[in-house]
């Protein structure tokens, strides 16, 4: 649920963006004026949809990986590489969770606002990232545990491209 | 920190390549290298916070919004069953031509390309529907698999195309120019594929045995019922864009709305189908967009460290004529396409190729279309072309990977031929844009 719920919100955001932009185009065609804030809200929706879906995608093996070396190695080597790969992901996401928390705190402290058609505090945009990277770090940690405890845990069925 | 550009280039490009080889998801490879690059070249902890701010700025970008919309169009048509009915209609309308089902795959794939922005969806659907039929009727395996893979790749060229939007946005090339510019090369490829299939099967009928029993009378009625209304979706995307009703970015949303309406009119838009389509959309577009989280920082570090300019100077030092430089860049893209996914290739090459292309005064839409054709070829080239693996998973277990490679080979050659034609005759990519203007 912890991973699927944000992903479901991401899906609804995409649907909301479709409807909002279409309504704005229709309104402009009919009255000459688009719905105010359409661009800003869609941009925020796009960013949120990508960020909120990321932990779920990792859990589902949907983030693209090339996996060029692993298949060429004997099972023990492939498992070691898998552990290295998950350990690296864990380290990157843990650092980014910490850095994005720092960015959020700094942004809140300075009290900056984004002034466009819609005005909102700057820290709102930074707020989801510590949560997202913490979830990603947790998922990498689970993957690492699986690789460490189960010799058959090397994954070969993950996404290779999104063309 | 002050480093000469060579170590910086080695760190950023060599580092990403090494990490991709080790195997973490590509997005995290770029983020890892960005963390190191931002710390070294953008100013320690400040650089790291800049990385986070850049990540947000990379994605709060209106020009990228068509990516999920174009993917959603394909997903809705696929999950609602509308696409299956369209393919069946093409099948029933097609007369007795040599290699009939293979021709149906190409024609139906072209129709679906015009209303879907996802190569994978097109290939997986045609593979699931037509491959078993062809194999059951005794088609040669290569003749059965090749056309499906080939036309799946063409989806990247014919609008709507999510990757064309991505290329336009990352490279600063006109998105509508790229979308329209891909139409003629895409249709040329489809026509060449049909010609090749008919010729091969006419010369050697054992490749595609004719349908058993008396030939069914081709009827265009299903075509009118199940395919013609889909033209409304294509018209909504391209028409609203070209007609000035919507910007290229907005046209994606208009197309997605039109797709939802069409699916609802066919009574295919159930809550379950919509939920599945949204989940599929989030999976594909989320994976693309999360890689872009590192895009701004990656190119910023390349610029600040001087690596970007350094590599561009090295390439210029070859002192190649403009056509030689284009061929060199296309060769690099084709080689990378054998090993890497399309988004990574764009991230790695655009910071160097675009300044060169711009400095040499190339028409950027022409260059972008050439770039896209290389990406399309990369989907089919061994050892790691994506569609080769999609087909392997759709084919019966006894089909060997070598057979899949061989099935794709003639279509790769046709695609290379079209690449060279567009290279030699730029109006093939730019003419339709000029005509519509």
């Amino acid at each position: 649920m912890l991973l699927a719920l944000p992903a479901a919100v991401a899906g609804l955001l995409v649907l909301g963006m479709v409807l909002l932009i279409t309504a704005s185009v229709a309104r402009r065609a009919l009255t000459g004026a688009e719905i105010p804030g359409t661009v800003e809200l869609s941009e925020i929706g796009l960013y949120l949809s990508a960020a909120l879906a990321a932990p779920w995608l990792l859990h589902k093996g949907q983030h693209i990986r090339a996996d060029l070396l692993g298949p060429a190695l004997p099972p023990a080597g492939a498992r070691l590489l898998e552990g290295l790969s998950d350990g690296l992901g864990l380290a990157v996401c843990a650092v980014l969770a910490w850095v994005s928390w720092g960015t959020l705190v700094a942004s809140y402290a300075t009290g900056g606002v984004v002034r466009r058609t819609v005005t909102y505090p700057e820290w709102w945009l930074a707020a989801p990232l510590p949560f997202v990277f913490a979830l990603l770090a947790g998922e990498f940690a689970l993957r690492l545990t699986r690789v460490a405890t189960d010799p058959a845990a090397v994954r070969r069925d993950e996404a290779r491209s999104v063309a | 920190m002050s480093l000469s550009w060579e170590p910086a280039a080695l760190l950023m490009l060599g580092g990403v390549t090494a990490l991709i080889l080790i195997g973490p998801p590509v997005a995290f490879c770029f983020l890892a290298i960005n963390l190191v690059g931002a710390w070294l070249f953008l100013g320690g902890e400040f650089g790291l916070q800049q990385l986070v701010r850049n990540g947000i700025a990379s994605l709060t970008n209106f020009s990228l919004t068509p990516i999920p919309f174009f993917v959603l169009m394909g997903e809705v048509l696929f999950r609602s069953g509308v696409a299956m009915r369209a393919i069946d209609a093409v099948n029933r309308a097609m007369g007795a031509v040599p290699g009939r089902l293979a021709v149906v795959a190409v024609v139906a794939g072209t129709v679906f390309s015009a209303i879907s922005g996802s190569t994978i969806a097109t290939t997986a659907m045609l593979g699931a529907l037509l491959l078993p039929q062809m194999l059951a009727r005794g088609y040669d395996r290569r003749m059965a698999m090749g056309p499906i893979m080939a036309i799946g790749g063409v989806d990247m060229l014919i609008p709507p195309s999510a990757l064309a939007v991505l290329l336009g946005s990352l490279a600063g090339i006109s998105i509508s120019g790229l979308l329209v510019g891909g139409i003629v090369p895409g249709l040329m490829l489809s026509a060449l594929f049909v010609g090749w299939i008919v010729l091969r099967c006419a010369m050697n009928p054992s490749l595609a045995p004719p349908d058993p029993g008396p030939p069914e009378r081709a009827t265009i009625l299903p075509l009118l019922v199940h395919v013609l209304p889909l033209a409304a979706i294509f018209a909504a995307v391209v028409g609203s864009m070209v007609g000035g009703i919507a910007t290229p970015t907005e046209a994606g949303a208009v197309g997605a709305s039109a797709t939802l309406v069409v699916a609802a009119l066919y009574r295919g838009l159930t809550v379950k189908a919509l939920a599945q389509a949204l989940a599929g959309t989030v999976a594909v577009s989320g994976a693309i967009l999360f890689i872009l989280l590192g895009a701004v920082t990656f190119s910023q570090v390349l610029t600040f460290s001087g690596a970007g300019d350094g590599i561009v100077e090295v390439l210029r030092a070859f002192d190649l004529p403009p056509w030689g430089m284009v061929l060199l860049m296309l060769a690099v893209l084709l080689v990378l396409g054998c090993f890497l996914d399309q988004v990574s290739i764009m991230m790695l090459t655009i910071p160097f190729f675009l300044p060169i292309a711009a400095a040499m005064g190339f028409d950027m839409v022409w260059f972008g279309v050439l770039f896209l054709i290389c990406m399309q070829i990369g989907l089919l080239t061994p050892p790691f072309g994506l569609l080769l693996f999609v087909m392997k998973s759709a084919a019966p277990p006894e089909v060997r990977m070598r057979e899949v490679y061989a099935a794709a080979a003639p279509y790769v050659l046709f695609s290379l031929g079209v690449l060279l034609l567009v290279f030699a005759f730029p109006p093939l990519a730019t003419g339709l844009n000029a005509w519509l203007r």
Side-chain angles (χ1 to χ4, degrees), chain B residues 326-339:
Chain B
V326 176
L327 286 182
L328 176 67
M329 290 191 278
L330 297 182
V332 170
L333 291 175
L334 290 172
V335 171
L336 288 177
C338 296
F339 300 98

Side-chain angles (χ1 to χ4, degrees), chain B residues 401-429:
Chain B
M401 203 62 208
R402 198 173 297 172
E403 279 181 282
V404 180
Y405 292 159
Y411 304 95
V412 170
L413 292 178
F414 281 120
S415 301
L416 286 170
V418 168
L419 178 70
L420 290 176
L421 274 175
V422 175
F423 168 74
F425 304 103
L428 289 173

Side-chain angles (χ1 to χ4, degrees), chain A residues 7 10-12 14-15 17-19 21-22 24-25 28-29 34 38-40 42-44 46-47 49-51 53-54 56-58 62-71 81-82 84-86 88-89 91-93 95-96 98-100 102-103 106-107 116 122 125-126 129 132-133 136 140 143 158 160-163, chain B residues 19-29 31-32 35 45 48-53 55-56 59-65 68-69 72 117-121 156 163 244-247 249-250 253-254 256-257 260 274 278-291 293 339-343 379 384 386 389:
Chain A
L12 291 174
V14 171
L15 185 62
M17 287 155 57
V18 167
L19 299 177
I21 296 174
T22 306
S24 182
V25 170
R28 190 176 59 217
E34 59 190 23
T38 299
V39 171
E40 290 87 341
S42 302
E43 287 178 344
I44 295 169
L46 185 74
Y47 154 69
S49 73
W56 177 73
L57 292 184
L58 183 64
Q62 291 289 323
H63 280 295
I64 311 159
R65 56 188 297 201
D67 201 17
L68 302 178
L69 214 52
L81 204 65
E82 193 72 16
L84 192 64
S85 158
D86 289 338
L88 189 84
V92 167
C93 293
V95 171
L96 280 168
W98 170 70
V99 173
S100 52
T103 310
S107 184
R116 293 171 70 188
E122 202 177 52
L125 284 178
L129 285 184
V132 165
F133 281 114
L136 285 165
F140 271 121
R143 289 162 68 118
E158 298 202 337
R160 283 172 177 276
S161 176
V162 284
Chain B
L19 290 181
I20 288 174
L21 275 175
I22 290 173
V26 167
F28 299 93
C29 299
L31 284 174
L35 277 174
E45 196 168 336
L48 296 184
Q49 292 203 356
Q50 189 59 37
L51 164 64
V52 173
R53 292 198 172 93
I56 297 169
L59 294 186
T60 47
N61 179 349
F62 194 61
S63 72
L64 293 173
T65 54
F69 302 159
L72 180 63
S118 169
T119 290
I120 298 174
M156 192 185 289
L163 286 183
I245 298 167
T247 64
T249 311
E250 293 168 337
V254 174
S257 292
L260 290 168
L274 182 61
L278 287 172
T281 302
V282 164
V284 174
S285 67
I288 294 176
L289 293 169
F290 205 69
I291 296 176
L293 202 68
F339 300 98
L340 291 179
D341 71 279
Q342 286 63 32
V343 186
L379 292 171
F384 294 107
L386 163 75
F389 289 91

Side-chain angles (χ1 to χ4, degrees), chain B residues 169-228:
Chain B
S169 180
L170 282 177
I173 302 174
S174 156
I175 291 173
S176 61
L178 275 182
L179 289 172
V180 173
I183 292 176
V184 171
L187 293 179
M188 281 171 66
L189 281 170
S190 297
L192 282 169
F193 295 163
V194 168
W196 168 252
I197 292 164
V198 171
L199 185 70
R200 284 282 290 146
C201 296
M203 290 170 64
N204 182 0
S206 71
L207 291 175
D211 298 347
E216 264 182 47
R217 225 178 125 198
T219 166
I220 62 161
L221 188 62
L223 215 54
L224 296 176
V225 176
H226 294 295
V227 178
L228 196 61

Side-chain angles (χ1 to χ4, degrees), chain B residues 117-163:
Chain B
S118 169
T119 290
I120 298 174
T122 301
T123 310
M125 191 180 55
L126 291 171
L129 203 69
L130 290 174
L131 185 65
Q133 284 189 47
M134 285 195 262
L135 294 178
R137 290 187 187 180
Y139 275 54
D140 176 82
R141 284 176 185 166
R142 293 181 194 179
M143 182 50 73
M145 293 188 291
I148 294 175
M149 288 187 280
I151 201 63
V154 170
D155 194 307
M156 192 185 289
L157 292 173
I158 296 177
S161 160
L163 286 183

